[in-house]
Amino acid sequence: MGTAVADGLVGAIGNTPLIRLKRASAATGCEILAKAEFCSPGGSVKDRAALAIIQDAEARGLLSPGGTIVEGTAGNTGIGLTLVANARGYKSIIVMPETQSREKIDFLRMIGADLRLVPAKPFKDPGNYVHVSRALAEEQGALWANQFDNLANREGHRRTTGPEIWAQTGGKIDAFTCACGTGGTLAGVSFALKEHNPHIKIVLADPEGSGLYGWVKHNDLTVTGSSITEGIGQSRVPGNLDGAPIDDAVKIPDPEALEQIFDLMIHEGLSIGGSAGINVAAAIRVARDLGPGHTVVTMLCDSGARYQSKLFNPDFLKSKNLPVPSWM
């Protein structure tokens, strides 16, 4: 975090702080460290993927001044893409399931995205937001960002996030865990860390309602249950996750994630979203599994402000039989 001046928005993406989580560390006897991706200009880890995808398209000559980028997203990638597009002189069309949080929908409109909301459909349905975005890109002759299968996503994390974690821990890291939507973060970081030390344990964190835990454990993508988290979990293996060196997986139910979200907010002043709650809960499980004296790193993907209407809404939480923050 030097004193250098960042060159515009793009120069301010990445190089986020690594924060020691005091209570999680004390509870496990390990160092539990989390990358504060909410410090990125667009407020999430997806700024990195957005920048990597756009830079890759520019390098390949697929984007020219005044061009258009189309993407299907649960929100954060759309925000990152729109902001980077604004800074680079492109237009963006964002296709999103209408079930996503009101905060993300409003934010995308505020920053100038051409937002198209579609009904939430499974991936096998042609009406799924990913397929709708691909068709729209073809129709418009625009760039389809394709964050799930575009390997520029994981390559961006291999070049930036992984080396930052290695440098910030001084190479003292025993395990890395995070949840997957596209798989870009987990795959990119795992490739980078294992280049330095193949013994670093890579653990995929998965919510209920996703098939990735079963895929890692038994090569079985069967989906059971559901989760209120957004932007993570999959019923298929995205291109970015394919071939990544993953050692294990943990499945985290929503109440366990919410406990960490509320605990970090009220005791450590850290406001985090649902996927970050899954990640912290997973880091605690991995640390307990390794035993005291180890260092586990995870990601705080975005802040709680994007999920106020869900994670911090007592009526919503009660309707799902989930714990409510004690102070609300």
Side-chain angles (χ1 to χ4, degrees):
M1 302 297 287
T3 52
V5 174
D7 187 13
L9 169 95
V10 167
I13 292 172
N15 290 313
T16 52
L18 192 62
I19 298 178
R20 180 172 186 270
L21 305 183
K22 293 182 188 151
R23 284 166 66 87
S25 298
T28 56
C30 287
E31 284 292 286
I32 295 190
L33 312 173
K35 204 89 166 92
E37 295 299 300
F38 52 75
C39 293
S40 208
S44 91
V45 66
K46 295 296 190 178
D47 289 2
R48 294 179 187 263
L51 177 58
I53 286 168
I54 287 177
Q55 285 176 329
D56 176 69
E58 288 172 341
R60 290 167 189 258
L62 302 174
L63 259 181
S64 42
T68 299
I69 300 156
V70 180
E71 183 58 318
T73 162
N76 281 335
T77 303
I79 290 167
L81 281 168
T82 302
L83 292 172
V84 175
N86 288 354
R88 296 283 235 225
Y90 309 121
K91 292 191 280 294
S92 44
I93 302 174
I94 303 300
V95 181
M96 189 157 110
E98 59 197 5
T99 47
Q100 299 307 296
S101 73
R102 167 60 45 199
E103 291 85 353
K104 284 194 284 199
I105 292 169
D106 291 346
F107 195 88
L108 276 160
R109 289 195 172 123
M110 179 187 91
I111 61 177
D114 176 352
L115 184 62
R116 317 281 176 95
L117 293 176
V118 295
K121 301 262 176 78
F123 187 76
K124 57 180 180 286
D125 189 304
N128 172 276
Y129 69 100
V130 175
H131 306 316
V132 172
S133 70
R134 181 180 57 215
L136 194 58
E138 282 166 11
E139 183 190 301
Q140 302 256 350
L143 175 78
W144 183 41
N146 188 17
Q147 59 172 329
F148 293 92
D149 299 309
N150 182 341
L151 299 186
N153 172 352
R154 79 179 184 191
E155 180 57 22
H157 287 288
R158 193 190 66 77
R159 281 198 332 269
T160 70
T161 322
E164 286 170 33
I165 289 169
W166 181 258
Q168 286 169 313
T169 56
K172 289 189 181 68
I173 167 172
D174 299 291
F176 175 77
T177 184
C178 76
C180 295
T182 65
T185 306
L186 188 73
V189 169
S190 68
F191 281 121
L193 291 178
K194 283 196 183 269
E195 257 172 52
H196 287 290
N197 175 1
H199 301 298
I200 294 170
K201 196 173 177 189
I202 305 294
V203 182
L204 186 152
D206 216 25
E208 298 278 354
S210 169
L212 294 175
Y213 169 84
W215 170 68
V216 172
K217 292 295 230 187
H218 326 287
N219 204 23
D220 174 6
L221 275 161
T222 309
V223 170
T224 55
S226 65
S227 170
I228 62 167
T229 54
E230 296 182 11
I232 55 168
Q234 270 300 336
S235 56
R236 69 180 184 107
V237 180
N240 276 292
L241 205 50
D242 198 26
I246 299 165
D247 300 301
D248 201 3
V250 290
K251 185 178 272 198
I252 307 291
D254 284 350
E256 196 177 328
L258 284 165
E259 187 189 337
Q260 297 309 322
I261 291 167
F262 302 154
D263 195 85
L264 280 171
M265 176 76 90
I266 212 69
H267 294 293
E268 301 191 43
L270 293 170
S271 161
I272 61 170
S275 53
I278 297 268
N279 290 354
V280 174
I284 291 171
R285 282 218 209 165
V286 171
R288 290 208 163 115
D289 191 38
L290 289 172
H294 292 88
T295 298
V296 181
V297 177
T298 193
M299 307 292 285
L300 303 181
C301 323
D302 64 3
S303 83
R306 264 180 203 164
Y307 310 95
Q308 221 168 321
S309 56
K310 288 187 176 182
L311 298 181
F312 297 94
N313 173 354
D315 294 336
F316 174 82
L317 293 167
K318 282 176 196 149
S319 77
K320 304 274 185 195
N321 290 319
L322 289 168
V324 173
S326 57
W327 61 95
M328 293 189 98

